[in-house]
Amino acid sequence: MPLSKEQLFSWLKNVGEQYSTGVVIIDPSEACLPIVYYNAAFTNLCGYTEQQLIGKSLSVLNGIKTDSEIETELNYHLQQAISNQFTILQYACDGTAYWNFMTLHPFRDAGDTVQFIFLTCEDVTELMLNKMLSKLEREVYIELDRDDELETILNVITDQIEKHYIRDAYCAIHLVQPDGSIKAVATGSLPHSIVEQLQTVEMELLADCSGTAIDLKEFIVAEDVLNDWRCEGFHDSELNSHIVTCWAKPILNQQQKVLGSFTLYFNEKTELKRTDIDFLNRLIPLISLSVKYAEQKQQLSRLAYYDVGTNIPNQHYFNNELSKWIVEGHEGLIILIQPGEYSNIVELYGRKAGDELLSQIVERLNQHSGNHEEFIARFTNSAIIVASKYKLTELDTYDFRVRQLTIIPYFINGKELYITLKLGIGFFSADLSAEDCIRQADIALTKSRATSGTKVVFFEEESDAKLQQEMDILNQLSYGLQHNEFTIYLQPKINFETSEIEGFEALSRWNSHVLGAVSPAIFISAAEQSGKIREIDTLVIKKVLSWQQQRLIKGLKIVPIAVNISPDHFYYESFINDFLALLSKYNVPTQYIKLEVTESIELVDFSKAKDILSTLKSAGINSSIDDFGVGFSSLSYLPQLPFSEIKIDRSFVNAMDDPGMHAVVQTIVQLASNLHMCAVAEGIETLEQFMMLKAMGCHTGQGFYFYKPMPLEEATTLLDLKL
Ligand code: C2E
Ligand code: MG
Ligand code: MG
């Protein structure tokens, strides 16, 4: 006997009472599909008391974030009484959202007319949030894999949360910047007009985190931002119309340092529930991971594109950027800049001082960049490279800029240092590859290094052949040193009063089995650049000492011999000790050897030069300042440096016909006399020059007019003859 509708209803109600999950019965005979029964478990789920929902349609449970498509589907199934399952977002009596998993069971009578629809309901909020989180995690990993920017990744997070989170909220992620300020990195759908103001609020909230009152693992909740003391920045009407409550959670790294904040903003008063806390607590590690990943990525790119010592972009970076400019059709200059004293500074004060010098040069370059677009990188340990959209017609201003770089001393290791700069300039344009453009500037730099003082050299085609020659020299230097290809020549220094040989200058000679005779003017600078100069100087010293030792032993006439010492060697930490050790090894008294040091040395470090010269002097060793007048030394330093001799450079002696130059030489001779130093004129080639110098009061000189540099055997004969 089939059940009547009432009997069926009472039977279904009875079944509903037994259910531990929610049950709702709907009467489909009425168009509005009213709820005719729901059990206690459903009351627990939605918060409506027993009678509140009776007679109402199920759609009263829907709300702002309920998916309207699911809603339509559900209604259709209810109307048609088709059994099916739906997961739909509904809202409880207090406005909180929950996910309801519903199964529809239609009950029909014998005539197949639907009597009731029996709905079982299950709260699957946690499951859905977990699902959403897994989906979000997957998306974030995909973005991370794709190597996307941190901003993109964090924006995916905020967007997804706003879309899928059960609550209607704005979502934002703020990150602490290196300068301590806070930046909104991802802001979801927050109106642009209030994003900036929110940063102040975040600052307040995060400042609150650093106090002890709040456990960093907890949320910072401002339930009523208008009246919350932490949200002072919130008194803006536009802001308040959007935001009433906010929940912020600090993003921490493993050391518990605050990296930023994750915040949900609501436009109504709302309470933080357990499910929210659980969900959001799982979300934070995902954000931290993204931030950490982005930091690592940044670090990697810094390592790949920045020089660690100076934080200046590296060559890699430069090549990339230059290639881009070339492809875009830009033209301009490539400038390589190298401080002439870089290696001395590194030897004296260490690598950090070298880094510091380059950083200071870059700083000065940036101060004087004018309106020119450019970028700067570290080219090698000792050189900086600049690509600049300077035009050829503007080179005058570039010259001015270079001068600005050297006018004021650099402050390194607590000392003021004047430096010289070597500049090699090439051009970039679409005609050449980035690599070739750089190579040309490099060739020009090599040329500029071979001259003294601050020097700008432009690339010229013919430099190629010279470069090849320099390469050959570098290749052959080591071989020559190991295979006795170096000898010394001596050039007499003549006393103008007595015409006696007062001493000699030792000059190294290299007869390479491959290159033939190579001029010191070429191989000395190559040896200085390749670090071989100490070997050459030491070899010369040994040969000189050995010659002197033989003469002493044989009781022959003996005069002091001067050896040339390159600045690199002069500043080498063990120079003095090594030198004195050699003197005692060969048993040659100190008055029989002198040192000649080129003029620019005192520019590197005045006080260090002073120390070395004083120590040498107290050991009885006299020193000369060589090539005086050529470099950039300040005359005011000279009185304080214990040189015994000033060697007037050949170029001055050569040009004495000119009245101006005559006066310069005269001044140098007088200066030497005032300082109780001996003035020695170099490169005297004619009788006139000799007479002029003598008339000026110069007492000593050397040059082809008297003698050319000669091999040791010849010097032996010469000195023996004079006896
Ligand atoms: P310097 O020390 O100024 O040496 C004088 C140079 O002038 C020598 O050139 C010498 O041969 C040349 N000279 C001398 N009298 C005359 C003259 O009347 N007319 C002309 N035209 N030239 C004259 P050199 O031997 O070619 O050496 C060039 C430079 O190389 C030297 O200049 C010195 O700075 C450097 N040098 C030479 N030997 C050594 C060495 O063993 N160690 C170091 N560190 N430098 C060296
Ligand atoms: Mg010399
Ligand atoms: Mg000289």
Side-chain angles (χ1 to χ4, degrees), residues 542-584:
K542 281 183 183 169
K543 283 189 189 285
V544 165
L545 287 176
S546 152
W547 194 68
Q548 296 285 58
Q549 185 188 37
Q550 290 309 311
R551 295 194 68 83
L552 276 170
I553 292 170
K554 291 178 188 160
L556 299 171
K557 180 176 178 187
I558 187 153
V559 288
I561 302 182
V563 290
N564 291 285
I565 303 293
S566 282
D568 271 5
H569 190 189
F570 183 74
Y571 280 116
Y572 190 63
E573 53 194 52
S574 63
F575 168 68
I576 292 190
N577 288 341
D578 295 350
F579 184 62
L580 294 177
L582 277 178
L583 277 175
S584 63

Coordinates of all heavy atoms in Angstrom, one line a residue, residues 542-584:
K542 N 121.4 42.7 -9.3 CA 122.4 41.7 -9.0 C 123.6 41.8 -10.0 O 124.8 41.7 -9.5 CB 121.8 40.3 -9.3 CG 120.9 39.8 -8.1 CD 120.4 38.5 -8.4 CE 119.5 38.0 -7.3 NZ 118.8 36.8 -7.7
K543 N 123.4 42.1 -11.2 CA 124.5 42.3 -12.2 C 125.4 43.4 -11.8 O 126.6 43.4 -11.8 CB 123.9 42.5 -13.6 CG 123.4 41.1 -14.2 CD 123.1 41.3 -15.7 CE 122.4 40.1 -16.3 NZ 123.3 38.9 -16.5
V544 N 124.7 44.5 -11.3 CA 125.5 45.7 -10.9 C 126.3 45.4 -9.7 O 127.5 45.7 -9.7 CB 124.5 46.9 -10.7 CG1 125.2 48.0 -9.9 CG2 124.0 47.5 -12.0
L545 N 125.7 44.7 -8.7 CA 126.4 44.4 -7.5 C 127.6 43.5 -7.8 O 128.7 43.6 -7.2 CB 125.5 43.8 -6.4 CG 124.5 44.8 -5.8 CD1 123.5 44.1 -4.9 CD2 125.2 45.9 -5.0
S546 N 127.3 42.5 -8.6 CA 128.4 41.5 -8.9 C 129.6 42.3 -9.6 O 130.8 42.0 -9.3 CB 127.8 40.5 -9.8 OG 128.7 39.9 -10.6
W547 N 129.3 43.2 -10.5 CA 130.4 44.0 -11.1 C 131.2 44.8 -10.1 O 132.4 44.8 -10.1 CB 129.7 44.9 -12.2 CG 130.7 45.4 -13.2 CD1 131.4 44.8 -14.2 CD2 131.1 46.8 -13.3 NE1 132.2 45.6 -14.9 CE2 132.0 46.9 -14.4 CE3 130.7 48.0 -12.7 CZ2 132.6 48.1 -14.8 CZ3 131.3 49.2 -13.1 CH2 132.2 49.2 -14.1
Q548 N 130.4 45.5 -9.2 CA 131.0 46.3 -8.2 C 131.9 45.4 -7.3 O 133.0 45.8 -6.9 CB 130.0 47.0 -7.4 CG 129.1 48.0 -8.1 CD 129.8 49.3 -8.4 OE1 130.9 49.3 -9.1 NE2 129.3 50.5 -8.0
Q549 N 131.3 44.3 -6.9 CA 132.0 43.3 -6.0 C 133.4 42.9 -6.6 O 134.4 43.0 -5.9 CB 131.2 42.1 -5.8 CG 131.7 41.1 -4.8 CD 130.9 39.9 -4.7 OE1 130.5 39.4 -5.8 NE2 130.8 39.3 -3.5
Q550 N 133.4 42.6 -7.9 CA 134.6 42.2 -8.6 C 135.7 43.3 -8.5 O 136.8 43.1 -8.2 CB 134.3 41.8 -10.0 CG 133.6 40.5 -10.2 CD 134.2 39.4 -9.4 OE1 135.4 39.2 -9.5 NE2 133.4 38.7 -8.6
R551 N 135.2 44.6 -8.8 CA 136.1 45.7 -8.8 C 136.7 45.9 -7.4 O 137.8 46.3 -7.2 CB 135.4 47.0 -9.3 CG 135.0 46.9 -10.8 CD 134.6 48.2 -11.4 NE 135.7 49.1 -11.5 CZ 136.5 49.1 -12.6 NH1 136.4 48.2 -13.5 NH2 137.5 50.0 -12.6
L552 N 135.8 45.8 -6.4 CA 136.3 46.0 -5.0 C 137.3 44.9 -4.7 O 138.4 45.3 -4.1 CB 135.1 45.8 -4.1 CG 134.2 47.0 -3.8 CD1 133.0 46.7 -3.0 CD2 135.0 48.1 -3.1
I553 N 137.0 43.7 -5.0 CA 138.0 42.6 -4.7 C 139.3 42.9 -5.4 O 140.4 42.7 -4.8 CB 137.4 41.2 -5.1 CG1 136.2 40.9 -4.3 CG2 138.4 40.1 -5.1 CD1 135.4 39.7 -4.7
K554 N 139.2 43.3 -6.7 CA 140.5 43.6 -7.4 C 141.1 44.9 -7.1 O 142.2 45.2 -7.6 CB 140.2 43.5 -8.9 CG 139.8 42.1 -9.4 CD 139.4 42.2 -10.9 CE 138.8 40.9 -11.3 NZ 138.1 41.0 -12.6
G555 N 140.5 45.7 -6.2 CA 141.0 47.0 -5.8 C 141.0 48.0 -6.9 O 141.8 48.9 -7.0
L556 N 140.0 47.9 -7.9 CA 140.0 48.8 -9.0 C 139.1 50.1 -8.6 O 138.4 50.0 -7.6 CB 139.3 48.1 -10.2 CG 140.1 46.9 -10.7 CD1 139.3 46.2 -11.8 CD2 141.4 47.4 -11.3
K557 N 139.2 51.1 -9.4 CA 138.5 52.3 -9.2 C 137.0 52.0 -9.2 O 136.5 51.2 -10.0 CB 138.7 53.3 -10.3 CG 137.9 54.6 -10.0 CD 138.2 55.7 -11.1 CE 137.3 56.9 -10.7 NZ 137.4 57.9 -11.7
I558 N 136.3 52.6 -8.2 CA 134.8 52.3 -8.1 C 134.0 53.6 -8.0 O 134.4 54.5 -7.2 CB 134.6 51.3 -7.0 CG1 133.2 50.8 -6.9 CG2 135.0 51.8 -5.6 CD1 133.1 49.4 -6.3
V559 N 132.9 53.7 -8.7 CA 132.0 54.8 -8.6 C 130.6 54.3 -8.4 O 130.3 53.2 -8.7 CB 132.0 55.7 -9.9 CG1 133.3 56.5 -10.0 CG2 131.7 54.9 -11.1
P560 N 129.7 55.2 -7.8 CA 128.4 54.7 -7.6 C 127.6 54.4 -8.9 O 127.9 55.1 -9.9 CB 127.7 55.9 -6.9 CG 128.8 56.8 -6.5 CD 129.9 56.6 -7.3
I561 N 126.8 53.4 -8.8 CA 126.0 53.1 -10.0 C 124.5 53.2 -9.6 O 124.1 52.6 -8.6 CB 126.3 51.6 -10.5 CG1 127.7 51.5 -10.9 CG2 125.4 51.3 -11.7 CD1 128.1 50.2 -11.5
A562 N 123.8 53.9 -10.5 CA 122.3 54.0 -10.2 C 121.5 53.0 -10.9 O 121.8 52.7 -12.1 CB 121.9 55.4 -10.6
V563 N 120.6 52.3 -10.2 CA 119.7 51.4 -10.9 C 118.3 52.0 -10.9 O 117.9 52.7 -10.0 CB 119.6 50.0 -10.3 CG1 120.9 49.3 -10.5 CG2 119.3 50.1 -8.8
N564 N 117.5 51.7 -12.0 CA 116.1 52.2 -12.1 C 115.2 51.3 -11.4 O 115.3 50.1 -11.6 CB 115.7 52.3 -13.5 CG 116.5 53.4 -14.2 OD1 116.2 54.6 -14.0 ND2 117.5 53.1 -15.0
I565 N 114.3 51.8 -10.6 CA 113.4 51.0 -9.9 C 112.0 51.5 -10.3 O 111.6 52.6 -10.1 CB 113.5 51.1 -8.3 CG1 114.9 50.7 -7.9 CG2 112.5 50.3 -7.6 CD1 115.3 49.3 -8.1
S566 N 111.2 50.6 -10.8 CA 109.8 50.9 -11.2 C 109.0 51.2 -9.9 O 109.2 50.5 -8.9 CB 109.2 49.8 -12.0 OG 109.6 49.9 -13.3
P567 N 108.0 52.1 -10.0 CA 107.2 52.3 -8.8 C 106.6 51.0 -8.2 O 106.6 50.8 -7.0 CB 106.1 53.2 -9.3 CG 106.7 53.9 -10.5 CD 107.7 53.0 -11.1
D568 N 106.1 50.1 -9.1 CA 105.5 48.9 -8.6 C 106.5 48.1 -7.6 O 106.1 47.6 -6.6 CB 105.3 47.9 -9.8 CG 103.9 48.1 -10.4 OD1 103.2 49.0 -9.9 OD2 103.6 47.4 -11.3
H569 N 107.7 48.1 -8.0 CA 108.7 47.4 -7.3 C 109.1 48.2 -6.0 O 109.2 47.7 -4.9 CB 110.0 47.2 -8.2 CG 111.0 46.3 -7.6 ND1 112.2 46.1 -8.1 CD2 110.9 45.5 -6.4 CE1 112.9 45.3 -7.3 NE2 112.1 44.9 -6.3
F570 N 109.2 49.5 -6.2 CA 109.6 50.4 -5.1 C 108.6 50.3 -3.9 O 109.0 50.3 -2.8 CB 109.6 51.8 -5.6 CG 110.0 52.9 -4.6 CD1 111.4 53.0 -4.3 CD2 109.1 53.7 -4.1 CE1 111.8 54.0 -3.4 CE2 109.5 54.7 -3.2 CZ 110.9 54.8 -2.8
Y571 N 107.3 50.1 -4.2 CA 106.3 50.0 -3.2 C 106.1 48.6 -2.7 O 105.3 48.3 -1.8 CB 105.0 50.5 -3.6 CG 104.9 52.0 -3.6 CD1 104.8 52.8 -4.7 CD2 105.0 52.7 -2.4 CE1 104.7 54.2 -4.7 CE2 104.9 54.1 -2.3 CZ 104.8 54.8 -3.5 OH 104.7 56.1 -3.4
Y572 N 106.8 47.6 -3.3 CA 106.6 46.2 -2.9 C 107.0 46.1 -1.4 O 108.1 46.6 -1.0 CB 107.4 45.3 -3.8 CG 107.1 43.9 -3.6 CD1 105.9 43.4 -3.9 CD2 108.1 43.0 -3.2 CE1 105.6 42.1 -3.8 CE2 107.8 41.6 -3.0 CZ 106.5 41.2 -3.3 OH 106.2 39.9 -3.2
E573 N 106.2 45.3 -0.7 CA 106.4 45.4 0.8 C 107.8 45.0 1.2 O 108.3 45.6 2.2 CB 105.4 44.5 1.5 CG 105.3 43.1 0.9 CD 104.1 42.3 1.3 OE1 103.0 42.8 1.1 OE2 104.3 41.2 1.8
S574 N 108.4 44.0 0.6 CA 109.7 43.5 1.1 C 110.9 44.2 0.3 O 112.0 43.7 0.3 CB 109.8 42.0 1.0 OG 109.7 41.6 -0.3
F575 N 110.6 45.2 -0.5 CA 111.6 45.8 -1.3 C 112.9 46.2 -0.5 O 114.0 45.8 -0.9 CB 111.0 47.1 -2.0 CG 112.1 47.9 -2.7 CD1 112.8 47.4 -3.8 CD2 112.4 49.2 -2.2 CE1 113.8 48.2 -4.4 CE2 113.4 49.9 -2.8 CZ 114.1 49.4 -3.9
I576 N 112.7 47.0 0.5 CA 113.9 47.5 1.3 C 114.7 46.3 1.8 O 115.9 46.2 1.6 CB 113.5 48.4 2.4 CG1 112.9 49.7 1.8 CG2 114.6 48.7 3.3 CD1 112.7 50.8 2.7
N577 N 114.0 45.3 2.5 CA 114.7 44.2 3.1 C 115.4 43.4 2.0 O 116.6 43.0 2.2 CB 113.7 43.3 3.8 CG 113.3 44.0 5.1 OD1 114.0 44.9 5.6 ND2 112.2 43.6 5.6
D578 N 114.8 43.1 0.9 CA 115.4 42.3 -0.2 C 116.6 43.1 -0.7 O 117.7 42.4 -1.0 CB 114.4 42.1 -1.3 CG 113.2 41.3 -0.9 OD1 113.2 40.7 0.2 OD2 112.2 41.2 -1.7
F579 N 116.5 44.4 -0.9 CA 117.5 45.1 -1.4 C 118.8 45.2 -0.5 O 119.9 44.9 -1.0 CB 117.0 46.6 -1.7 CG 118.0 47.5 -2.4 CD1 118.4 47.2 -3.7 CD2 118.4 48.6 -1.8 CE1 119.3 48.0 -4.3 CE2 119.3 49.5 -2.4 CZ 119.8 49.2 -3.7
L580 N 118.5 45.4 0.8 CA 119.6 45.5 1.7 C 120.3 44.1 1.8 O 121.5 44.0 2.0 CB 119.1 45.9 3.1 CG 118.6 47.4 3.1 CD1 118.1 47.8 4.5 CD2 119.8 48.4 2.7
A581 N 119.5 43.0 1.8 CA 120.0 41.7 1.9 C 121.0 41.4 0.7 O 122.0 40.8 0.9 CB 118.9 40.7 1.8
L582 N 120.6 41.9 -0.5 CA 121.4 41.7 -1.7 C 122.8 42.5 -1.5 O 123.9 41.9 -1.8 CB 120.8 42.2 -2.9 CG 119.8 41.2 -3.6 CD1 119.1 41.9 -4.8 CD2 120.5 40.0 -4.0
L583 N 122.7 43.7 -0.9 CA 123.9 44.5 -0.7 C 124.9 43.7 0.2 O 126.1 43.6 -0.1 CB 123.6 45.8 -0.1 CG 123.1 46.9 -1.0 CD1 122.7 48.1 -0.3 CD2 124.2 47.3 -2.0
S584 N 124.3 43.1 1.3 CA 125.3 42.5 2.2 C 125.7 41.1 1.6 O 126.8 40.7 1.8 CB 124.7 42.3 3.6 OG 123.5 41.5 3.5

